Amino acid sequence: FLKVLWRKLSSVKLVGFLLVAAVMTASAASRNVLLIIADDYGIDSHSLYNTNSAASLPPTPNINALAQRGVLFRNAYGQPVCSPSRCAMLTGRYGFRNGVTQVVESLATPGVQTNEYTLPEVISANAQLSYSCASIGKWHLGGAAAGPNTAGGWPHFSGSLGGALASYTSWMKTVDGRSTPNYSVYATTDNVNDALSWIQQRGTNRWFLWLAFNAGHTPYHKPPNNLHSYDSLSGTQADITANPRPYYEAMIESMDTEIGRLLSQIDTNQTTILFLGDNGTQGRVIQPPFSSSRGKDSLYEGGVRVPFIVAGPDIVNRGRSSDAVVHCVDLYATILDLVGVPLPAVLPTDSRSLLPVLLSQPFTPAERAILVENETTAPAGQSGRAVRYSNFKLIQPTGSAEEFYDLARDPLEATNLLLRTLTAEQQATLALLHAKLDAWRNIPNAQRPEVATQFALETSWFANANLSLWRSPDLGSANWIQVTNAMVQDHGFSFRVVDPQPPFSRAFYRLRSD
C-alpha cells in the first residue's frame, strides 16, 4: 500500500454545526456583492497594468474608475484557460481537487461536480442573511442546460453555456434550464440587461451576482458602434482575420461601456465590486511585452496574470495597489467573508480571504504559494503545473524540462535559472517549490459528506501504474476490501482514484500499486 490518505466523516451533525457557526458570525452590515469576470483578458491589455510603449490598449474608463475607488492587485493569477479558473472561484479549490483542470469541451460534459460546495450553495445555506444569488453570462462548466442550477447551485442562471458563442448577435441563450436558439440581442448588452432586471427585482434585499461576460473571447467582431470608439473598422471577416487586435479592443471597450451602464443604475455605496479576467489574453491578440506563444493556454505570466480590482464603500485607503500574490481561487473565501459567512470546514480548501488587504491590514500568510495547472490539449510545453512563492516561480511543463524564474529580476521569464548555478537562496526556494507541488499532488479530495456521491484520492504520476483502491471501516483492521468499481483517472501528472459509492459511515482508504 502507498499510504493511508484520508478518513471520510459522517454527515449531518458536522454540517449542522457549520450552519450554527454561520449564524453567530454573519455580519449584519454586509453589502451587496457584484463579481464581474472578463473573458481572455490579461494584464497586457489593461492600461493600469501595461505601460509598454509598443502596446495598443483599449479605453476602459469605467474599469479604471473602480481602481480609483478600491484596490488594484498587481500579482493576481488565474488558471491558463477558462473552465479551471471559473471552477476555482466557484468552489475555492484548485482543479486537482475539484476535478476541472482543463477546458470543459462540450455542453453536456461533466464539469463542476454536483457534490462540490459552491459559493451560492454556502450563501443560500445561511438563509438568515437574506442574500439572493444569481449567475448571469458565461457558464462553461458543463452539465448541459441545467448545469448552472444543479451542479453550480445557482438559484437563477441566465446566459450562455459553452466556452465561445457562435456569434455575439445570434447565440443560444439559456435561462434556468430552458434554451432559446438564435437569440439576437448583442451578448454583452444582454448580460447587463439581465443583471439590471434581476437586481431591480431584489428591491431592498441583499444580493450576490456573478456576472461573467463572453468579451473578449472569440469570435472577434465589430460590436455596435454606440458601445465603442473603433467606428472606422470595416467589420469584414477578411479584415478581422488579418487584423484581429482592434476588434478585440472594440469588444473590451464595449464591455467597459456596458459595465458603466450597470454601475450607473445600482447603489454602489451599498455594493462591493470585484472585477477580474479569467486567464491571459489569447495569443493572436496579446500585446507587448508578452509574445504570442506566452498568452492564454500557457503557464507563463502572459497566460495566467490577470487584472484584478476590488472597489467598494468599505475599502480602506482607496486608490492603492497591492503586491500580494493572490489567485482567483481566493474569491471564494473573500466573497464569503464579505457577506458574513464563515469558510466551510467540510472540504479541503485552497482559498484565502483577501479582506485584510481590502482593510489595509497585514496579509502575510505563512508560506503562501499559489498553483497554476493546465491539462488542456495545448501545444507541447504549455500543459503542466506551475507554482509561485514570493518572487520565485517554478514551471513543470508536461513532457519538458523544468523552468525556474526570479520574477522580481526577470518578470518576462527570459532567464531559466536552472541553466545556471543556483545561489543558496535559489536552491532553498526551489526545494520549497518542489515540496509544495508534491504536497498538492498527494492531498486527497474529500467531498461534501451529506451529499457525497464519490470519494477520490490523488497521487503523483508514475510509470506503469496499476492502482487499486481499498476501503476499511477501521484503520487498524486487517479487513481491507477492494473497491472493485473504482475509477482510475490518469491526468498526465497525477492519478485520481474515485470510489463512486462510498459508505455513509466513516471509512479509511488506501491505494495499492500492484
Side-chain angles (χ1 to χ4, degrees):
F1 287 109
L2 296 177
K3 59 180 173 178
V4 177
L5 288 174
W6 200 267
R7 182 178 71 178
K8 181 176 178 291
L9 299 175
S10 59
S11 55
V12 178
K13 292 182 179 179
L14 177 58
V15 175
F17 170 78
L18 291 175
L19 295 182
V20 172
V23 173
M24 292 188 294
T25 59
S27 168
S30 300
R31 309 286 188 179
N32 303 319
V33 177
L34 171 62
L35 170 61
I36 302 175
I37 305 171
D39 204 347
D40 290 2
Y41 188 44
I43 60 170
D44 67 286
S45 292
H46 195 295
S47 61
L48 296 182
Y49 290 86
N50 191 355
T51 59
N52 191 291
S53 60
S56 174
L57 302 172
T60 53
N62 295 296
I63 297 172
N64 291 15
L66 291 177
Q68 297 169 9
R69 299 196 300 112
V71 179
L72 182 145
F73 289 82
R74 292 281 174 196
N75 292 296
Y77 286 80
Q79 303 292 17
V81 286
C82 303
S83 302
S85 289
R86 293 163 196 272
C87 202
M89 298 180 220
L90 191 63
T91 67
R93 288 145 52 81
Y94 290 133
F96 78 91
R97 297 190 205 273
N98 63 43
V100 179
T101 56
Q102 59 185 330
V103 171
V104 176
E105 294 290 352
S106 72
L107 303 186
T109 300
V112 59
Q113 300 172 39
T114 57
N115 47 14
E116 287 288 335
Y117 206 9
T118 66
L119 261 176
E121 289 176 327
V122 179
I123 295 173
S124 297
N126 290 269
Q128 77 285 349
L129 297 179
S130 300
Y131 267 92
S132 297
C133 299
S135 173
I136 290 173
K138 175 175 172 174
W139 168 239
H140 203 192
L141 284 174
N149 307 102
T150 56
W154 292 106
H156 174 65
F157 170 78
S158 174
S160 59
L161 297 175
L165 302 174
S167 164
Y168 275 68
T169 53
S170 180
W171 51 287
M172 181 76 77
K173 180 176 179 177
T174 299
V175 180
D176 294 330
R178 302 181 120 188
S179 298
T180 302
N182 304 316
Y183 190 77
S184 60
V185 180
Y186 183 64
T188 306
T189 297
D190 190 71
N191 294 158
V192 170
N193 290 345
D194 284 359
L196 285 171
S197 175
W198 182 81
I199 291 171
Q200 288 161 5
Q201 292 172 25
R202 307 282 71 78
T204 58
N205 294 329
R206 291 177 291 192
W207 48 265
F208 163 49
L209 176 61
W210 171 302
L211 176 59
F213 290 106
N214 290 90
H217 197 290
T218 56
Y220 302 132
H221 61 277
K222 184 179 181 181
N225 281 345
N226 65 306
L227 298 178
H228 62 87
S229 58
Y230 294 77
D231 296 355
S232 62
L233 294 175
S234 69
T236 66
Q237 188 56 54
D239 189 43
I240 295 170
T241 301
N243 192 29
R245 176 67 194 187
Y247 292 92
Y248 172 84
E249 293 181 17
M251 293 165 65
I252 295 299
E253 184 183 2
S254 297
M255 177 184 66
D256 182 85
T257 300
E258 290 292 15
I259 289 173
R261 178 166 71 95
L262 171 64
L263 298 183
S264 71
Q265 296 185 47
I266 68 174
D267 187 355
T268 55
N269 291 321
Q270 291 297 325
T271 306
T272 302
I273 303 160
L274 304 93
F275 171 87
L276 82 161
D278 64 344
N279 48 249
T281 305
Q282 205 261 352
R284 286 178 60 201
V285 294
I286 200 167
Q287 288 293 283
F290 298 118
S291 66
S292 60
S293 64
R294 292 193 168 192
K296 175 184 177 178
D297 292 321
S298 83
L299 299 166
Y300 295 104
E301 296 292 276
V304 294
R305 283 272 297 282
V306 295
F308 179 34
I309 301 167
V310 182
D314 302 312
I315 306 295
V316 174
N317 298 330
R318 302 184 199 181
R320 58 188 165 88
S321 295
S322 171
D323 291 326
V325 177
V326 302
H327 193 283
C328 68
V329 77
D330 294 327
L331 268 69
Y332 185 88
T334 302
I335 290 171
L336 291 180
D337 223 350
L338 288 170
V339 303
V341 177
L343 191 65
V346 175
L347 296 170
T349 183
D350 302 293
S351 188
R352 298 296 299 263
S353 174
L354 305 179
L355 196 58
V357 181
L358 305 183
L359 299 179
S360 199
Q361 297 172 354
F363 180 74
T364 54
E367 297 188 353
R368 168 66 161 169
I370 59 97
L371 174 67
V372 172
E373 51 190 341
N374 186 15
E375 288 187 26
T376 189
T377 54
Q382 290 191 341
S383 63
R385 285 185 173 185
V387 56
R388 175 168 175 179
Y389 172 76
S390 185
N391 292 322
F392 290 93
K393 180 179 173 184
L394 174 65
I395 301 176
Q396 290 185 334
T398 302
S400 301
E402 289 186 339
E403 301 175 28
F404 182 43
Y405 298 101
D406 181 347
L407 297 179
R409 295 179 173 86
D410 182 22
L412 299 182
E413 300 163 296
T415 303
N416 181 2
L417 296 175
L418 296 179
L419 301 179
R420 301 182 174 187
T421 301
L422 299 181
T423 66
E425 178 194 14
Q426 292 166 350
Q427 289 176 337
T429 304
L430 180 62
L432 174 64
L433 295 181
H434 277 135
K436 287 290 183 185
L437 285 176
D438 289 342
W440 275 321
R441 280 176 172 148
N442 288 283
I443 293 176
N445 178 9
Q447 302 296 342
R448 286 172 60 188
E450 80 280 14
V451 294
T453 58
Q454 70 173 17
F455 187 85
L457 303 181
E458 174 114 353
T459 186
S460 55
W461 191 93
F462 53 96
N464 304 315
N466 185 18
L467 293 173
S468 57
L469 184 65
W470 297 72
R471 184 175 65 206
S472 173
D474 186 351
L475 182 59
S477 172
N479 184 27
W480 287 87
I481 300 173
Q482 184 176 359
V483 181
T484 56
N485 60 343
M487 298 176 291
V488 180
Q489 303 166 350
D490 185 348
H491 289 176
F493 50 78
S494 66
F495 292 106
R496 195 165 184 265
V497 187
V498 180
D499 180 357
Q501 294 178 311
F504 285 97
S505 59
R506 73 175 188 177
F508 294 86
Y509 288 84
R510 286 177 175 174
L511 282 178
R512 180 171 178 173
S513 179
D514 297 322

